[in-house]
Amino acid sequence: MRPEPSPDLWTAAGTPVGAHALASAACGPDEYAYVRGVAQQAARLARATALSREARALVLAAAWLSWSGPGATARPRALDGPRELRRAGHDELARVLAWAGAAPRRGGG
């Protein structure tokens, strides 16, 4: 089992670069590959829909952090990721991830 990410990584997770750093520190190789695919699709969507710079950053950060939300895991403390984001001052991003939990995940994960 991987160690818990440091609070500094959660603090930086409000940007796509920071969210990527957190995902690379917290995910195993298979999970990281899946999350990277989610982020790639989010980037394509953001370009295709001409989102504002702020909205694009939120979508990309949420994609990189999709491993931490309630839809990403069957673990009992599935809201830990959104809670850590909220503690780090990223309320909007925490809400996105908490509500995204209803999205089905391919592969039954």
Side-chain angles (χ1 to χ4, degrees):
M1 185 167 186
R2 295 178 73 96
E4 285 294 316
S6 75
D8 291 342
L9 285 174
W10 286 104
T11 300
T15 67
V17 171
H20 172 259
L22 179 57
S24 65
C27 296
D30 291 340
E31 189 173 33
Y32 178 80
Y34 177 83
V35 170
R36 186 182 63 226
V38 171
Q40 289 169 339
Q41 292 301 319
R44 288 184 187 109
L45 173 70
R47 281 191 302 272
T49 57
L51 293 174
S52 70
R53 184 180 189 106
E54 294 81 20
R56 197 168 49 243
L58 180 65
V59 166
L60 292 176
W64 277 114
L65 297 174
S66 61
W67 61 271
S68 71
T73 181
R75 63 190 158 114
R77 296 172 46 171
L79 288 173
D80 285 354
R83 286 183 183 132
E84 287 295 329
L85 287 168
R86 182 157 294 193
R87 281 187 205 104
H90 306 299
D91 289 344
E92 188 173 20
L93 188 53
R95 284 193 300 273
V96 168
L97 286 174
W99 282 100
R105 199 171 157 180
R106 196 174 55 129

